[in-house]
Amino acid sequence: MNPGRPDAPAPAPPGTTTPARRPSRRLQIGRVPVGGGAPVSVQTMTTTRTADVDATLRQIAEVTAAGCDIVRVAVPGRDDAEALPAIAAKSPIPVIADIHFQPRYVFAAIDAGCAAVRVNPGNIRKFDDRVGEIAAAASAARVPIRIGVNAGSLDPRLLARYGRATPEALVESALWECSLFEEHGFTDLKIAVKHHDPLTVIAANRLLAGACDYPLHLGVTEAGPAYQGTVKSAVAFGALLAEGIGDTIRVSLSAPPVEQVKAGCHILASLGLRPRKLEIVSCPGCGRLQVDIHRLAARVEAAFDGFPHPLRVAVMGCVVNGPGEAREADLGVSCGNGKGQIFVKGEVVRTVPETKVVDALVEEALRLAPATDPAP
C-alpha cells in the first residue's frame, strides 16, 4: 500500500468539522478500501504505453511518491494486455485496467491480477450480452468492476432519448449497467459519471448518491490544462465532498500524472479529508509591499518542494497582515525594508536580511518538523 495513504481522515482545523460521509458499501481495491467510510482515495492514470512495462512502472513509482493510492492503466491492445501481469505484480499500489471496445481484455485483466477493472459500457460492442461472463469471472477472482459513464461515450439509446448528456442521462446509464450486473448477483461495483462541465458532474453525482449505495468515483473529464482543469475539478469535488459525496477522485488534467495527484491531494487536504503536508500561505500583493512577494513565495515553494512534514508556512509582504497570519502558521516571515522577521508559532525568533529569508525558513522548519509529525 502507498505508505503515504492515511488510515483515517485528517483532523479538521480548529473551529471546523469534516463533512459527514455518505453511507456506501465498501469495496476492496487490492489493499486499499474504498467506500464504507474509508478515506477518500486519490487516483490517476498513466500516460505511458502500457506495453512498455519499465516506463509504466517508473511512472507508477512517481505518482506513488506523490501520494497516489490507486493507478489506472489503459489497455487498448493485445500487447498492453500481455503486459498487465508484470505491472500488476510489481506495482506498489493497486492497478486498475481501463478497458474500452474489446471485452476480451476484461478477462485478460482479471487473469493478470489487476485489482479492479474499469469498463465504459457505451464504448464496448454488445456489452450487455457479455455482462454474465464478466460478472462470473470478476466474482471468482474477487475483482471489483468500475462502471464508467462519460458524456462523450454515452449509450446512443440514451443520447437519443435525452438529446444530450444530461445528469439524468448519465445516471440512468450507470444504474442500468449496474442492474445488469445485479441480475447476475454481482454487486462489487463502483460508479463514475463524468462530464466536462462541473455543474453537470455535481448534479449527476447528487442524483446517484440518492439512488444507490455504491461507492462513487469523482471526475471532471477533459477538464483542461493544469490551471483551468484544477479549478474546474476543485469546484466539482469541493461541492460534492463537502456534502459527503465521493469515495475516490481523479483530477483529469492535461498535465503529467504527478501533477494530477498533487492537485487531488491538495483538494482533499483543504477539506480535512487527508492529512496536510506542507502548506504555504502567502499574500497576493498590494501597494504596501516592500518586497517582490511573488518571487519570494516562488522561492520558498521551490525550497520546500518535497518537504514531507505537515507545516503551515506564511510568507507575508508587510506588517499589516503578516503578524496575524504568522500567529496562525507554524512558521512565517513578514518582510519590509530589506529585512524579514521570522516567526515560529507566532513569536518573532530573529530578523534576517531579505536575501537570507528562504534559508532561515528552511532552518527553522527542520527544527520544527519532528514536533509537527502526526503520531504513528
Side-chain angles (χ1 to χ4, degrees):
M1 183 183 294
N2 175 7
R5 176 181 168 80
D7 294 323
T16 64
T17 57
T18 55
R21 299 286 298 284
R22 159 186 170 264
S24 66
R25 65 184 68 195
R26 177 171 289 200
L27 300 178
Q28 201 67 32
I29 309 296
R31 291 170 290 179
V32 176
V34 170
V40 179
S41 301
V42 174
Q43 297 189 21
T44 191
M45 191 170 182
T46 56
T47 57
T48 57
R49 288 188 63 249
T50 304
D52 188 338
V53 174
D54 289 342
T56 301
L57 286 172
R58 281 196 298 272
Q59 195 168 77
I60 291 174
E62 291 171 359
V63 299
T64 301
C68 189
D69 302 306
I70 301 169
V71 68
R72 187 154 44 105
V73 299
V75 189
R78 185 175 66 181
D79 54 348
D80 303 301
E82 291 173 349
L84 290 176
I87 293 170
K90 296 178 181 179
S91 173
I93 56 178
V95 174
I96 298 177
D98 190 78
I99 311 296
H100 293 265
F101 306 116
Q102 295 293 343
R104 69 176 181 271
Y105 296 144
V106 175
F107 304 105
I110 292 171
D111 292 341
C114 290
V117 177
R118 184 266 184 143
V119 295
N120 188 333
N123 272 346
I124 296 182
R125 293 188 295 271
K126 297 183 178 179
F127 177 81
D128 296 359
D129 298 333
R130 306 298 300 273
V131 170
E133 298 172 70
I134 293 172
S139 180
R142 301 175 67 103
V143 172
I145 300 288
R146 173 181 144 191
I147 302 292
V149 178
N150 281 15
S153 55
L154 189 63
D155 189 305
R157 296 166 291 187
L158 291 170
L159 270 180
R161 183 186 309 167
Y162 287 93
R164 60 187 178 87
T166 65
E168 293 79 8
L170 295 170
V171 170
E172 182 174 336
S173 177
L175 293 178
W176 166 251
E177 301 301 342
C178 287
S179 74
L180 297 179
F181 279 96
E182 292 165 354
E183 289 176 2
H184 297 279
F186 187 85
T187 57
D188 284 343
L189 301 169
K190 180 173 64 171
I191 304 177
V193 288
K194 293 187 176 183
H195 197 282
H196 66 271
D197 173 40
L199 296 180
T200 301
V201 171
I202 293 169
N205 279 279
R206 283 173 174 163
L207 289 173
L208 264 180
C212 71
D213 68 348
Y214 290 117
L216 302 181
H217 171 77
L218 305 183
V220 178
T221 192
E222 295 100 30
Y227 178 78
Q228 175 180 295
T230 299
V231 171
K232 290 169 69 174
S233 297
V235 166
F237 298 173
L240 290 166
L241 291 168
E243 297 174 15
I245 298 172
D247 301 285
T248 64
I249 66 170
R250 180 196 176 193
V251 182
S252 299
L253 307 176
S254 299
V258 164
E259 298 307 312
Q260 300 179 21
V261 172
K262 289 179 180 178
C265 290
H266 279 299
I267 291 170
L268 293 184
S270 70
L271 290 164
L273 293 171
R274 197 174 183 98
R276 66 180 179 91
K277 292 187 179 177
L278 180 77
E279 178 184 1
I280 295 176
V281 178
S282 57
C283 64
C286 71
R288 292 188 300 265
L289 296 187
Q290 296 178 341
V291 64
D292 185 343
I293 195 65
H294 302 152
R295 181 172 177 270
L296 178 59
R299 289 175 56 215
V300 172
E301 184 178 33
F304 280 88
D305 185 42
F307 195 77
H309 306 282
L311 290 177
R312 180 177 285 112
V313 181
V315 182
M316 308 305 295
C318 74
V319 296
V320 173
N321 292 320
E325 289 292 347
R327 283 193 295 271
E328 296 294 324
D330 300 301
L331 173 65
V333 62
S334 181
C335 295
N337 297 318
K339 300 177 182 179
Q341 287 186 319
I342 305 299
F343 294 79
V344 175
K345 299 295 183 180
E347 300 293 332
V348 177
V349 295
R350 54 175 158 151
T351 299
V352 299
E354 186 179 307
T355 56
K356 300 294 184 182
V357 162
V358 176
D359 290 341
L361 288 174
V362 171
E363 290 169 7
E364 297 297 339
L366 291 173
R367 293 192 185 98
L368 272 177
T372 61
D373 284 340

